[in-house]
Amino acid sequence: MMSEDDERQRPSKSARKRELLALQDLANEMVGLSNRELEQLGVDPQLRAALDLVRPMRPSGARNRQIKHCVKFMDDAELGEVRAYLADRHAGQVEANRALHRCERWRDRLINDGDTALEALFDEFPELERQPVRQLVREAIRQRDSGAAAGAARRLFRHLRDRLPAMEIEKN
């Protein structure tokens, strides 16, 4: 028979479910990693083999069962490095997306506001070459006004993306 102290130390059924769901979510994220990444992170070969079975599966009950099967091979103590790697990877993707959105905002601002936005851009980034940016902005404005395809706007975006430092782009 269990004493009250033993019962208090055991996690509740809800807590165990939350832990299992967290492990299933982690397994789902690990499916997106390559075998090389998993090997570098020191993931158990049995877990890697189980994850390999999940990769080609479409979302279905069978895939969910296979993910639950993967959880059986997961040792929570050994997954700290995997969690840290996935968090860093996610943070890098988020920052890259932010930088692209900032470039898009600059492009839109340049096309809509014209010379005032150009001066603000050159004040913010004095090392930027002025002539190519001015030409791309003027061409994009011409295309917008004539209703033509937005090829110049795309070229302007690529030019900004390639030349503006990702971390220093103005936060509009």
Side-chain angles (χ1 to χ4, degrees):
M1 191 160 177
M2 293 185 113
S3 69
E4 283 185 35
D5 290 337
D6 290 339
E7 279 189 34
R8 279 190 223 135
Q9 291 179 357
R10 279 191 352 197
S12 68
K13 186 176 179 181
S14 297
R16 285 186 304 215
K17 282 185 178 181
R18 282 191 296 272
E19 289 172 11
L20 283 175
L21 286 174
L23 286 174
Q24 287 175 17
D25 290 342
L26 182 61
N28 264 322
E29 287 187 62
M30 289 173 71
V31 167
L33 298 176
S34 69
N35 281 332
R36 181 188 215 177
E37 289 173 307
L38 292 172
E39 189 175 329
Q40 288 174 345
L41 292 169
V43 174
D44 181 55
Q46 284 182 315
L47 177 56
R48 285 199 319 257
L51 291 170
D52 282 341
L53 294 174
V54 177
R55 286 190 181 113
M57 299 175 111
R58 292 177 182 229
S60 65
R63 187 178 197 280
N64 293 339
R65 284 189 297 277
Q66 184 63 32
I67 289 288
K68 289 177 184 175
H69 180 70
C70 291
V71 170
K72 291 179 183 178
F73 299 113
M74 297 172 82
D75 182 9
D76 202 30
E78 296 177 4
L79 295 174
E81 190 174 341
V82 174
R83 283 189 175 103
Y85 177 78
L86 288 170
D88 287 345
R89 188 177 184 198
H90 179 69
Q93 290 171 344
V94 167
E95 187 53 43
N97 285 341
R98 282 188 188 136
L100 291 176
H101 288 297
R102 289 181 206 132
C103 286
E104 287 175 344
R105 284 194 299 272
W106 265 117
R107 178 203 54 205
D108 294 342
R109 184 175 168 194
L110 288 167
I111 292 172
N112 293 329
D113 297 345
D115 289 335
T116 56
L118 269 170
E119 290 310 313
L121 179 72
F122 295 139
D123 288 344
E124 183 77 24
F125 303 102
E127 69 280 357
L128 199 59
E129 292 182 45
R130 294 172 180 260
Q131 185 178 1
V133 175
R134 275 200 170 98
Q135 287 175 340
L136 288 168
V137 169
R138 285 191 171 74
E139 189 178 343
I141 291 171
R142 251 193 319 273
Q143 285 182 352
R144 181 198 62 191
D145 292 343
S146 70
R154 284 191 293 276
R155 285 193 298 278
L156 175 61
F157 172 77
R158 284 193 298 267
H159 186 82
L160 293 173
R161 180 194 64 200
D162 295 342
R163 286 167 182 77
L164 296 182
M167 299 305 287
E168 296 177 6
I169 297 174
E170 181 183 358
K171 295 176 179 154
N172 288 336

